[in-house]
Amino acid sequence: MTFSSAVFAQRVGLVLSGGGAKGAAHIGLIKAFEENEIPIDCITGTSIGAVVGSLYAMGYSPDEMLDLMMSDEFGYWASGTVEENYIYYFSKADPTPSIMHFSLGISDDFKLNPKMNITSLVDPVQMNQAFMLLYAPSTSKCRESFDNLMIPFRCVGADVFHKRQVVFHKGELSDAVRASMSIPIVFKPLWLEIDKKAGDTDTIKKVPIFDGGLYENFPYRTMKKEFYPDFIIGSALSSGGVKPDNSLVTQIEAIAMQDVNYEMPKKDGILLKFDLSDVGMLDFNKTKSVMKRGYEKGLSMVDSIKSRIARRVPLAEVQKRRKAYKKSLPKLIFNKVTVEGNLTHAQKKYVLAQIERRDDGLFSEEEFKRSYFKLVSNSKITEIIPQAIYNPDTHYFDLVLKVDMSNDINVDFGGNISSHHANQLYLGANYSIINRYSADFGLGLHLGDVFRGAKLSAKTYFETEIPLSLSYTYCYSQRNYSESQSLFYQDNNPAFLKQKESYADFELAFPFLYKGKASFGLKYGKMKDNYFQQSSVDYSNATFDQSEYDVFALSLSIDRNTLDAPVYPISGHQYFMKAHYVNAKEETTLNNIVYVGNTVQSSLSLAEYRPTIDQNTNWLQMKGRFYTYKKINKWINIGYLGELFLSSKNLLTNYTASLLQASTFTPTPQSQVAYNSAFRANQYIAGGVIPIVKFTPMFHFRLGMYGFLPFQPIKGRSVVINDEWIEQQAYYGKKFHDFAFMSEAAFVMNLPFMSISLFANGYSKATSQFNVGINVGYLIFNKKMLD
């Protein structure tokens, strides 16, 4: 290269390939170029290259891009997790063991049209709002032409319907970048209008746009065609090809990066290739180290690049331009709101009514986010794509909400597959309406050896000055506890304890400090316990002893839950307090009598020996719980659990009946399906510590250590009645005496739709003190009437 040819290489283009978490290397390269005065005059990018390129094009420094990519906020985008402060718990549905979702469309002639509902692994609810807020000021500043950004920019998407790439050069910057990074299966595609080619007679207005890597993962040709640069610097995050294996992520990466020809003629510039085979597409926890590798690679190539580019741009000049550009961006304050979509007039009014405004009618970024997450918490609203349009007359932004509502019946399928006895099947159906008010209707069915149940619910939301909801729930549940609680083989032993309950619950609720919910409840139900009091009974032939209860209860509760997973969470908080007043009638019949000396002393019938006992009782009870996780560093979290239960309930007619109706401490999934009398009491305090090691955002190891201390342990003793039969009576033991301990170690994979765990647990007091097993799915059951 001679000096005369180098001096004309003044317009420099930067091409950034796709590659998921590998994209942090792009940031390192840009930092190295800035520090060494190498100019960047135009950028093209695909997927993560579009994200990095767009951020740099609208004034983000390399350090600011790194901070963003390492932030919790970026993690929310990548995972679809709603930020804890914006979870609208008031309308959040109770968790279910659902894994897969379907929908049943209802046509005008009432025919059902089954449809699969899984569109992506990651819910777009976070990304839709975050990208609008991030890119709206620059979209306004550039007047929707990407040539007017601080650095001219292009990104590439894939129109799979027409089998062609789409180059974004104008319009909403958020839409362009969001579409360019919509990796198939991982992220939901964006439906956009595209420019038609000459002679194209296609009448389709909108098509789904996927990750640009499907057709041009390294947009070198786009750079040549759009900007005609004198010199191109290419950053390729893969040397070409993805080695096949059984990993779902690897297979998705192979789909999203089909263009593996990372080659560029030497006369056009210089290509920097990275060997990042040890970095997975979603390994954003490696961002800092990957950025460092990109920086070092950039430094190593500085001399080669400078030998071909004579022009220099001092870092101070870049920083000055960046500062001026950012200062010129309009502040994101909203005024007018428009609702689009196939909605009725009443539905549009409902959406508009959810927008929080100040007294002057304006609302800020923060107020928008609260309103947005409140809206998407409604199960009928399947997606909202917000758009901010700057109004030069008012100097505020107009907000356009593109709302998609479902008129389908949503069907859920799930449960748990286990190496032990806790195999469960769950089927659910839900339907929602939005008109002048909002209402949800639900049905859930549980089938399994451990738990069987049904739940029918209806909830109506009233848009009063203080939002209110009125709900009705009918629940039926049956819990079975078998003798062996066996693992890894079929348990054919019959249940020795069976608990059944059915109840109706009416509840009036309202938001409590936005992040929580307060409620008043009225319940009526029946509970029935079937049990054996002696271990010597032949369970296969004997008749159960029975205790039945007619129960009326009033309740007051305050609760909040921002845990990030229904089972095995690693972040978030749960605070819960619930008080009950209970009035109950107990009726107990004993069908198994142990006689003194095992000899019948009289010819009287069993009923005459021990007639059915009726008694009325009432009591107050209160349960409080806190469950919180703290982040120590990027590898370690620690969870803390505390639980307190107080009750004025008297002991019941016998020892087993008293235990079965006592409150139980079950902090682990396996403890919910195993009967253990050591963790049951009418008053207790319990707690636990759960250290967690995070290997990846979805895979972790946890060690839960829990302690349980009853205020007065429930004890049993044999008492001889009328010198003829033996009765098992309950009494309170020594106060604060019977401390019990349980622990669980588990390797957990929390997928967006399912949990997989390999666990081992131990109990200080139990028939089986140590268990190991595997669970695939969720062990989640109906709430007990008095929980």
Side-chain angles (χ1 to χ4, degrees):
M1 169 70 65
T2 65
F3 176 80
S4 59
S5 60
V7 77
F8 293 104
Q10 298 300 304
R11 184 171 171 81
V12 180
L14 179 64
V15 179
L16 305 177
S17 80
K22 301 179 180 73
H26 293 324
I27 300 175
L29 278 182
I30 293 172
K31 183 177 178 66
F33 296 160
E34 274 197 354
E35 292 177 353
N36 287 276
E37 302 184 345
I38 295 174
I40 299 174
D41 299 306
C42 49
I43 304 172
T44 58
T46 296
S47 195
I48 192 66
V51 176
V52 173
S54 63
L55 291 174
Y56 190 67
M58 62 182 199
Y60 273 67
S61 70
D63 289 340
E64 288 172 332
M65 288 190 283
L66 177 64
D67 289 342
L68 177 61
M69 194 173 287
M70 294 181 64
S71 68
D72 290 339
E73 184 179 7
F74 192 88
Y76 298 143
W77 305 351
S79 64
T81 304
V82 176
E83 299 168 62
E84 181 181 333
N85 289 336
Y86 297 102
I87 294 175
Y88 190 60
Y89 185 60
F90 173 61
S91 60
K92 187 176 181 180
D94 290 336
T96 70
S98 176
I99 294 174
M100 300 178 67
H101 308 277
F102 304 85
S103 61
L104 291 175
I106 305 176
S107 62
D108 293 339
D109 55 358
F110 297 101
K111 290 184 179 179
L112 296 180
N113 177 29
K115 295 180 286 186
M116 193 74 170
N117 232 13
I118 299 177
T119 56
S120 62
L121 294 178
V122 176
D123 192 328
V125 63
Q126 264 286 359
M127 195 175 294
N128 288 346
Q129 63 86 24
F131 273 38
M132 186 273 283
L133 296 176
L134 181 67
Y135 289 107
S138 285
T139 298
S140 167
K141 170 69 176 176
C142 72
R143 300 183 301 280
E144 298 191 7
S145 171
F146 300 167
D147 286 335
N148 297 328
L149 292 166
M150 191 184 95
I151 300 174
F153 169 75
R154 301 286 187 272
C155 63
V156 177
D159 172 10
V160 296
F161 190 87
H162 296 100
K163 305 290 188 298
R164 63 192 182 193
Q165 74 176 50
V166 177
V167 177
F168 293 98
H169 59 92
K170 65 179 181 179
E172 290 289 323
L173 188 56
S174 60
D175 287 352
V177 178
R178 165 80 167 77
S180 182
M181 63 168 293
S182 294
I183 302 169
I185 304 175
V186 178
F187 298 115
K188 187 176 180 180
L190 210 60
W191 287 71
L192 299 173
E193 294 183 5
I194 59 172
D195 293 334
K196 294 185 178 181
K197 294 182 178 180
D200 194 344
T201 59
D202 199 331
T203 58
I204 296 175
K205 293 183 178 180
K206 288 188 176 183
V207 293
I209 306 297
F210 285 91
D211 190 291
L214 292 173
Y215 296 131
E216 192 183 20
N217 195 51
F218 179 63
Y220 153 74
R221 292 184 293 272
T222 297
M223 172 61 74
K224 291 271 289 184
K225 183 177 179 181
E226 292 287 324
F227 294 118
Y228 307 101
D230 300 302
F231 189 85
I232 298 174
I233 303 173
S235 177
L237 299 178
S238 173
S239 58
V242 178
K243 293 181 180 180
D245 61 32
N246 291 324
S247 165
L248 175 62
V249 173
T250 301
Q251 293 175 28
I252 292 172
E253 186 174 1
I255 294 172
M257 299 172 62
Q258 289 190 17
D259 181 357
V260 295
N261 181 23
Y262 299 106
E263 298 298 334
M264 189 172 73
K266 291 183 179 180
K267 65 180 179 63
D268 288 338
I270 191 165
L271 177 62
L272 285 71
K273 293 185 178 180
F274 290 88
D275 181 8
L276 296 170
S277 56
D278 58 324
V279 181
M281 184 176 63
L282 301 179
D283 286 345
F284 288 101
N285 58 313
K286 299 179 180 179
T287 291
K288 195 166 187 178
S289 62
V290 174
M291 185 269 195
K292 184 179 179 182
R293 289 160 71 173
Y295 179 71
E296 293 171 348
K297 179 82 168 181
L299 290 179
S300 70
M301 300 301 295
V302 163
D303 290 342
S304 297
I305 295 172
K306 283 186 172 181
S307 69
R308 300 181 64 182
I309 302 175
R311 177 169 153 249
R312 303 286 178 263
V313 179
L315 178 57
E317 182 180 324
V318 175
Q319 292 172 336
K320 183 179 179 181
R321 285 182 58 214
R322 182 177 292 138
K323 184 178 180 180
Y325 178 83
K326 288 183 175 181
K327 188 176 181 180
S328 68
L329 294 176
K331 191 173 182 180
L332 202 56
I333 298 177
F334 299 96
N335 183 13
K336 181 181 175 183
V337 183
T338 304
V339 179
E340 296 181 355
N342 189 22
L343 280 66
T344 65
H345 178 70
Q347 289 172 336
K348 289 182 178 180
K349 286 186 66 177
Y350 172 86
V351 172
L352 290 171
Q354 309 309 306
I355 305 298
E356 297 183 18
R357 293 177 180 267
R358 305 171 188 168
D359 293 339
D360 59 4
L362 304 177
F363 56 101
S364 66
E365 202 173 312
E366 178 70 16
E367 289 155 336
F368 159 75
K369 289 182 72 172
R370 284 203 301 267
S371 302
Y372 171 83
F373 285 114
K374 180 180 177 181
L375 276 167
V376 295
S377 68
N378 190 301
S379 58
K380 188 173 180 67
I381 297 177
T382 56
E383 189 174 16
I384 297 178
I385 300 177
Q387 183 180 6
I389 301 173
Y390 185 71
N391 188 329
D393 296 329
T394 64
H395 303 292
Y396 298 121
F397 282 86
D398 294 337
L399 179 65
V400 178
L401 297 176
K402 301 174 183 178
V403 181
D404 184 16
M405 285 192 183
S406 170
N407 293 315
D408 300 339
I409 298 173
N410 296 315
V411 180
D412 298 331
F413 173 81
N416 190 71
I417 300 173
S418 176
S419 60
H420 53 107
H421 60 290
N423 291 299
Q424 294 289 132
L425 175 66
Y426 173 78
L427 293 172
N430 301 277
Y431 184 72
S432 299
I433 61 172
I434 291 179
N435 207 325
R436 290 171 296 177
Y437 56 86
S438 171
D440 296 328
F441 304 90
L443 172 66
L445 300 174
H446 300 257
L447 299 172
D449 291 334
V450 175
F451 179 86
R452 299 170 191 173
K455 179 180 177 181
L456 181 66
S457 62
K459 180 182 285 189
T460 303
Y461 298 91
F462 300 97
E463 294 304 319
T464 51
E465 185 173 346
I466 298 177
L468 295 173
S469 71
L470 182 63
S471 64
Y472 164 79
T473 303
Y474 171 77
C475 247
Y476 169 80
S477 300
Q478 177 178 325
R479 292 170 171 85
N480 301 324
Y481 301 101
S482 61
E483 183 183 22
S484 67
Q485 305 292 306
S486 60
L487 303 178
F488 292 112
Y489 60 87
Q490 180 65 38
D491 183 5
N492 293 315
N493 289 324
F496 72 97
L497 296 174
K498 292 184 178 182
Q499 289 190 288
K500 298 179 182 179
E501 65 176 20
S502 60
Y503 67 88
D505 180 10
F506 296 88
E507 183 179 84
L508 178 68
F510 55 90
F512 182 74
L513 301 178
Y514 186 82
K515 300 175 185 177
K517 179 176 72 173
S519 63
F520 300 93
L522 184 153
K523 302 177 185 179
Y524 175 75
K526 292 182 178 290
M527 299 186 291
K528 182 177 182 179
D529 294 339
N530 294 338
Y531 52 90
F532 296 108
Q533 297 190 68
Q534 296 84 28
S535 59
S536 59
V537 173
D538 180 1
Y539 299 148
S540 60
N541 296 314
T543 304
F544 284 105
D545 295 335
Q546 294 181 354
S547 292
E548 297 185 55
Y549 309 88
D550 279 341
V551 180
F552 170 80
L554 297 173
S555 66
L556 168 64
S557 69
I558 298 173
D559 60 303
R560 176 190 175 197
N561 190 335
T562 61
L563 297 174
D564 66 336
V567 178
Y568 294 128
I570 64 171
S571 66
H573 311 278
Q574 180 191 45
Y575 303 105
F576 173 93
M577 185 186 73
K578 193 163 193 174
H580 280 94
Y581 164 76
V582 184
N583 182 277
K585 178 182 178 182
E586 177 192 3
E587 183 178 295
T588 295
T589 303
L590 301 180
N591 296 313
N592 297 283
I593 299 296
V594 176
Y595 297 100
V596 175
N598 293 322
T599 303
V600 177
Q601 304 295 320
S602 170
S603 59
L604 295 174
S605 68
L606 180 62
E608 291 174 291
Y609 270 109
R610 194 70 171 94
T612 298
I613 299 174
D614 293 340
Q615 67 176 22
N616 291 314
T617 183
N618 57 74
W619 68 88
L620 294 172
Q621 69 179 50
M622 187 278 291
K623 187 173 186 177
R625 174 187 176 100
F626 78 87
Y627 190 15
T628 184
Y629 285 87
K630 302 292 185 183
K631 181 179 179 181
I632 305 303
N633 55 47
K634 71 175 184 177
W635 301 108
I636 304 294
N637 283 16
I638 295 183
Y640 302 96
L641 171 64
E643 191 167 297
L644 175 67
F645 182 80
L646 300 173
S647 172
S648 63
K649 179 164 57 175
N650 294 322
L651 295 172
L652 302 177
T653 56
N654 62 70
Y655 169 65
T656 306
S658 298
L659 271 180
L660 282 171
Q661 286 302 316
S663 185
T664 180
F665 179 59
T666 57
T668 66
Q670 201 275 339
S671 65
Q672 295 184 64
V673 298
Y675 178 80
N676 192 330
S677 60
F679 295 89
R680 290 173 175 261
N682 285 337
Q683 307 91 19
Y684 67 80
I685 187 169
V689 178
I690 311 103
I692 294 169
V693 179
K694 300 172 290 186
F695 302 112
T696 72
M698 291 190 294
F699 181 56
H700 72 269
F701 170 79
R702 66 197 293 129
L703 177 62
M705 298 168 285
Y706 309 94
F708 174 88
L709 181 63
F711 291 0
Q712 290 183 295
I714 300 174
K715 299 288 188 178
R717 60 191 169 198
S718 299
V719 178
V720 177
I721 307 297
N722 297 333
D723 297 324
E724 295 190 40
W725 68 85
I726 300 172
E727 186 172 273
Q728 302 296 319
Q729 291 187 349
Y731 70 98
Y732 282 123
K734 186 177 179 180
K735 290 184 178 180
F736 302 106
H737 187 259
D738 284 8
F739 178 80
F741 175 81
M742 77 169 75
S743 62
E744 180 182 78
F747 288 97
V748 180
M749 177 71 77
N750 270 335
L751 299 172
F753 54 91
M754 181 175 64
S755 175
I756 303 172
S757 60
L758 171 63
F759 68 88
N761 55 47
Y763 300 87
S764 61
K765 298 178 181 180
T767 302
S768 177
Q769 291 187 313
F770 183 77
N771 301 287
V772 295
I774 299 172
N775 283 321
V776 179
Y778 298 116
L779 281 173
I780 300 174
F781 308 121
N782 291 342
K783 288 182 179 179
K784 292 183 178 180
M785 179 178 179
L786 299 180
D787 265 1

